Amino acid sequence: MESITAESIPIVVGREEDGRWWADIESMPGVMAYGATRDSAIAAVRALALRVAADCIDHDEAIPEPFTKV
C-alpha cells in the first residue's frame, strides 16, 4: 500500500545569489515561496500549497493535482 501525504509532493529547491532560498511545487503553477533557510522555504511552500487546496475546496473548484491522492 502506498501512502500519499502533503510531505510526499515533490518540491524543487534553489538558492538565489543574495542567499535567499526558494521552494517551488512545479505541479502547482504559482505555488512558490522564499525563506531565509532551505527548511523555511520548504515549510512556506507547503503551507501555501495547503492554503491553495483549501481555497479550492471552499469555492467548489477542482483540487490541484498533487492533492487529489492525499
Side-chain angles (χ1 to χ4, degrees), residues 12-53:
V12 178
V13 180
R15 195 166 191 185
E16 299 284 350
E17 289 182 16
D18 64 4
R20 293 179 301 157
W21 286 87
W22 57 266
D24 180 38
I25 298 178
E26 292 180 329
S27 59
M28 294 179 73
V31 177
M32 180 192 181
Y34 284 93
T37 65
R38 182 181 186 278
D39 288 343
S40 65
I42 291 170
V45 81
R46 282 187 178 146
L48 178 57
L50 290 170
R51 285 196 289 285
V52 168

